[in-house]
Amino acid sequence: MDWRPILFFDSGVGGLSVLAPTRALLPKAPFVYVADSAGFPYGTRSEAEIAGRVPALLGRLAERYRPRLIVIACNTASTIALAAVRAALDLPVVGTVPAIKPAAELSKTRVIGVLGTDATVRQPYVDDLAARFASDCVVIRHGSAELVRLAEAKLRGEDAPLDRYAAILAGLFGQPGGERLDVIVNACTHFPLVAEELAAAAPHAVRFVDGSAGIARRVAFLTQGQSWPETPGEGVAVFTDDGDRGALAPALAGYGLSRIESL
């Protein structure tokens, strides 16, 4: 039996939205989930900080946990540091990028929104995705650090009024052409965790899409034919500082992460 885990990495708990569909496809796989809580949030950091921090941290994690595969379950880290991580590590690395292609395929009005962090929405990587897959669409972007914090708070059991979500969405719908938006890309893995709140706060019916299901299928493909333990054992959540991980413990357990460690 091969006990090497699949390692998921994010600045916080957003990557749980990618972990969940992957666990559903690979129920016997051991998982390690890493939240870089000491560096949280990535969306307000500079490109240089992220480009230096992420490859170094994932190198340490690869040495410690010996994963068979790493998923960078963070759009900001992926759009900035994915190539450097792949160059540094001798194992498969799966990134997370904004789901602009499926959004364009779904849109009837040809106006789509990209809702991410400030760092993600300004990346040339997003420019390239829009040019390649949504050239006939108006692509409206908005970055929100507050929405990342709201998602983290929700997993700690804290509620927030819908008007806070509505104010964030106004950053998309209030732009020219925003009244025609019919599909929004959740370009941060935190945002699917508050999908119900976003849908309820939107001024009209709109579809939200993300890449989590596609990432899960990619992980399943890359590990096809590999052996797994008969039972995966307890999942491990790792934090780079102590922070409020105790408050997150109940939510983490719901994702199969019953053991919590510090790096």
Side-chain angles (χ1 to χ4, degrees):
M1 288 182 285
D2 189 345
W3 283 92
R4 291 178 301 155
I6 297 170
L7 189 146
F8 284 75
F9 175 84
D10 185 27
S11 64
V13 297
L16 295 174
S17 67
V18 182
L19 173 65
T22 309
R23 284 188 67 222
L25 284 183
L26 300 171
K28 291 186 176 182
F31 289 97
V32 173
Y33 182 89
V34 181
D36 183 15
S37 46
F40 176 86
Y42 281 0
T44 58
R45 291 183 175 270
S46 71
E47 282 82 350
E49 287 179 285
I50 294 168
R53 183 179 184 87
V54 172
L57 188 51
L58 282 171
R60 290 176 58 197
L61 291 164
E63 288 181 2
R64 177 167 174 174
Y65 292 101
R66 300 295 177 186
R68 68 181 73 201
L69 181 146
I70 289 176
V71 179
I72 303 179
C74 172
N75 285 267
T76 301
S78 295
T79 55
I80 295 171
L82 178 59
V85 172
R86 284 176 169 163
L89 298 180
D90 188 23
L91 75 166
V93 180
V94 177
T96 307
V97 297
I100 290 175
K101 181 179 179 180
E105 291 171 349
L106 287 170
S107 178
K108 305 299 184 185
T109 65
R110 313 314 293 158
V111 180
I112 63 177
V114 178
L115 185 62
T117 66
D118 292 317
T120 295
V121 298
R122 66 173 179 252
Q123 291 308 309
Y125 200 112
V126 179
D127 297 337
D128 180 62
L129 289 174
R132 289 166 58 198
F133 301 118
S135 59
D136 64 335
C137 295
V138 175
V139 181
I140 301 173
R141 309 183 200 185
H142 180 61
S144 174
E146 183 185 9
L147 192 53
V148 176
R149 296 188 183 94
L150 287 174
E152 294 264 334
K154 180 180 178 180
L155 262 69
R156 294 193 300 267
E158 303 169 17
D159 294 323
L162 279 183
D163 59 4
R164 292 181 66 183
Y165 294 94
I168 293 165
L169 287 173
L172 284 175
F173 289 100
Q175 293 188 45
E179 72 282 354
R180 294 171 47 229
L181 270 174
D182 65 345
V183 183
I184 294 176
V185 179
N186 275 329
C188 172
T189 54
H190 278 80
F191 298 171
L193 301 175
V194 289
E196 292 181 4
E197 290 83 354
L198 288 170
H204 62 253
V206 61
R207 296 185 68 168
F208 290 87
V209 299
D210 63 81
S212 58
I215 295 165
R217 291 192 297 269
R218 181 63 177 165
V219 173
F221 173 79
L222 290 173
T223 57
Q224 192 172 17
Q226 296 183 12
S227 62
W228 305 100
E230 283 301 314
T231 57
E234 59 183 348
V236 181
V238 183
F239 290 81
T240 54
D241 71 3
D242 292 335
D244 55 3
R245 65 185 196 176
L248 290 167
L252 293 171
Y255 286 87
L257 304 169
S258 55
R259 193 167 91 237
I260 300 178
E261 298 180 356
S262 295
L263 181 65

